[in-house]
Amino acid sequence: MKRFFKPIEKDGSSAPKKPCLFPEKRNGDDEAVDEGKDQREPTKFVTWNANSFLLRVKNDWSELSKFVSDFDPDVIAIQEVRMPAAGGKGKPKNYAELSDDTKPLREEKQILMRALSSPPFGNYRVWWSLAESKYAGTALLVKKCFKPHKVYFNLDKLASKHEPDGRVILAEFETFRLLNTYSPNNGWKEEENSFQRRRKWDKRILEFLSQTSDKPLIWCGDLNVSHEEIDVSHPEFFATAKLNGYIPPNKEDCGQPGFTPSERARFGTIMKEGRLVDAYRYLHKEPDMESGFSWSGNPIGKYRGKRMRIDYFLVSEQLKDRIVSCKMHGRGIELEGFCGSDHCPVSLELAKPSSESEENQVSN
């Protein structure tokens, strides 16, 4: 998501529900710039695993655009974009640009560009971080009046590097950082692309948190883990789940990916050492079998009615008193409010800092 395609302004298009109060300053298309001390900070956020953003635009546009219009978020973090990075065979990849190297890909890119230049998305700037194929990938949409100072695409905060599979977008604002991640699935086996990959990811997240404690963090996305039993609909089902009868050698790795004891323990360590607060659980202490989960299994088959909360907003402890709401926007086992995905949108709203002194305190 380093670069963004510039939405095409359409004459006569309707104005956004809540227009930005600060005009956009254009100091070059590729670089985020500081707009001064009077620049407001975002307070309304949405994270959503789209399970193919192109399919959602093509098949679920009415529901998706209504949700965005109604909630009117300042920032939208998307996971599983599932669009390939630019660069044909044998050519360098540009992981910040949508591919248009073939006629079908050009047409698909055009569909997304048209959608993102029309209401309610025309008021947002877009950054991409993409994989080499139609797999994984993330996007970050930020209202133009909230231009971040810097945007990175890796946990190392290196200027041009993208994480493998486009799993990270990190936006630096005046008083906080926003981290959008599509965390890798744990998988079922002790293999390089399963348990080992997830262990390495969790270790790097811990390192990132220890190196960026100078400023409060909002970490959102599909984190692919359910921390506690309250975060799944059927704890026994998920705890004993197997793939084709396979049982890992370490009992701590047994169970549904995202609900194994080892993953849950590491996630708890990450939250503790990173001094992070689970915004949803901070407000909602009791089980909610109707609207307390962000992922729902296929309505047909053994996963019908099986649900997990694996999409989060984790915020630094300095921000917890500003949490106004954190909500799952899906309901029930028929995927109502999921906008066509198997994940529902999750929203976070923060109160504005009560005074300039409080805002300065948060940034220190």
Side-chain angles (χ1 to χ4, degrees):
M1 286 188 201
K2 179 160 173 51
R3 286 181 60 93
F4 56 91
F5 63 74
K6 205 154 190 63
I8 302 171
E9 302 293 343
K10 293 186 177 182
D11 294 337
S13 62
S14 59
K17 180 178 178 182
K18 185 172 67 177
C20 291
L21 300 181
F22 298 89
E24 181 186 6
K25 295 183 180 180
R26 300 182 183 275
N27 289 42
D29 288 345
D30 297 334
E31 196 173 327
V33 297
D34 187 341
E35 298 204 8
K37 290 184 178 181
D38 293 332
Q39 172 69 27
R40 298 179 305 148
E41 299 272 82
T43 58
K44 296 179 71 176
F45 308 85
V46 163
T47 183
W48 181 47
N49 180 319
N51 193 16
S52 176
F53 193 34
L54 176 67
L55 288 182
R56 303 292 77 82
V57 167
K58 292 170 67 175
N59 300 334
D60 306 280
W61 175 251
S62 178
E63 183 181 7
L64 174 59
S65 59
K66 183 179 188 305
F67 168 76
V68 173
S69 294
D70 290 347
F71 185 71
D72 195 28
D74 300 325
V75 175
I76 305 171
I78 299 175
Q79 305 86 45
E80 282 206 86
V81 172
R82 292 193 179 182
M83 289 292 289
K89 289 184 178 181
K91 298 180 181 178
K93 293 290 183 180
N94 183 347
Y95 299 103
E97 290 281 2
L98 296 167
S99 177
D100 57 4
D101 298 295
T102 66
K103 183 178 179 181
L105 288 175
R106 283 193 294 274
E107 292 173 349
E108 292 174 351
K109 179 178 179 179
Q110 188 175 47
I111 289 171
L112 284 178
M113 290 181 69
R114 286 174 175 171
L116 291 173
S117 66
S118 63
F121 293 98
N123 195 37
Y124 294 84
R125 295 174 65 129
V126 186
W127 288 263
W128 306 98
S129 189
L130 305 169
E132 294 189 8
S133 61
K134 289 188 174 182
Y135 172 73
T138 50
L140 188 69
L141 287 71
V142 180
K143 278 191 173 179
K144 294 174 182 176
C145 57
F146 300 118
K147 187 182 294 183
H149 293 189
K150 275 289 187 181
V151 178
Y152 302 95
F153 307 92
N154 57 83
L155 295 173
D156 305 311
K157 297 179 66 176
L158 300 176
S160 59
K161 176 185 173 184
H162 284 250
E163 291 289 338
D165 303 325
R167 292 185 179 274
V168 169
I169 301 181
L170 175 64
E172 187 108 24
F173 292 93
E174 178 70 24
T175 62
F176 67 87
R177 294 184 179 95
L178 178 78
L179 176 64
N180 171 24
T181 70
Y182 176 39
S183 301
N185 188 287
N186 190 57
W188 295 90
K189 296 184 178 183
E190 183 61 69
E191 296 176 345
E192 183 176 352
N193 288 327
S194 294
F195 297 165
Q196 296 174 27
R197 178 178 67 165
R198 181 61 192 233
R199 290 188 198 114
K200 291 177 183 177
W201 171 268
D202 290 343
K203 181 180 178 181
R204 291 192 64 215
I205 288 289
L206 265 178
E207 293 170 350
F208 166 81
L209 292 172
S210 68
Q211 295 166 4
T212 55
S213 58
D214 59 309
K215 186 180 288 189
L217 176 70
I218 300 173
W219 178 17
C220 66
D222 178 356
L223 307 192
N224 255 321
V225 62
S226 294
H227 188 206
E228 305 287 356
E229 287 195 356
I230 191 176
D231 298 316
V232 297
S233 61
H234 297 75
E236 181 66 19
F237 172 87
F238 289 116
T240 59
K242 301 180 183 69
L243 179 66
N244 300 326
Y246 174 78
I247 300 177
N250 184 347
K251 66 178 182 180
E252 296 299 304
D253 293 319
C254 293
Q256 177 75 30
F259 197 63
T260 63
S262 57
E263 291 173 272
R264 295 166 60 194
R266 292 197 303 268
F267 190 65
T269 299
I270 287 170
M271 291 182 61
K272 181 179 180 180
E273 295 193 12
R275 302 183 66 184
L276 298 172
V277 175
D278 179 346
Y280 179 81
R281 193 57 67 208
Y282 180 72
L283 298 179
H284 307 276
K285 303 291 195 292
E286 300 300 321
D288 183 350
M289 294 300 293
E290 184 69 11
S291 302
F293 310 103
S294 62
W295 173 88
S296 186
N298 194 315
I300 301 174
K302 70 176 183 178
Y303 277 88
R304 176 176 172 80
K306 308 302 191 297
R307 292 166 289 165
M308 307 175 76
R309 187 171 73 94
I310 57 177
D311 303 86
Y312 290 81
F313 278 100
L314 303 181
V315 305
S316 296
E317 289 182 351
Q318 304 101 300
L319 299 176
K320 70 179 183 181
D321 292 335
R322 290 178 53 195
I323 299 173
V324 174
S325 69
C326 187
K327 181 180 178 181
M328 310 282 154
H329 290 267
R331 298 175 59 86
I333 66 175
E334 302 297 339
L335 282 67
E336 177 185 346
F338 281 62
C339 301
S341 178
D342 53 352
H343 296 246
C344 72
V346 181
S347 65
L348 170 72
E349 186 168 1
L350 299 179
K352 296 178 181 179
S354 58
S355 65
E356 183 176 348
S357 60
E358 179 180 339
E359 187 165 337
N360 290 337
Q361 183 179 1
V362 168
S363 63
N364 291 332

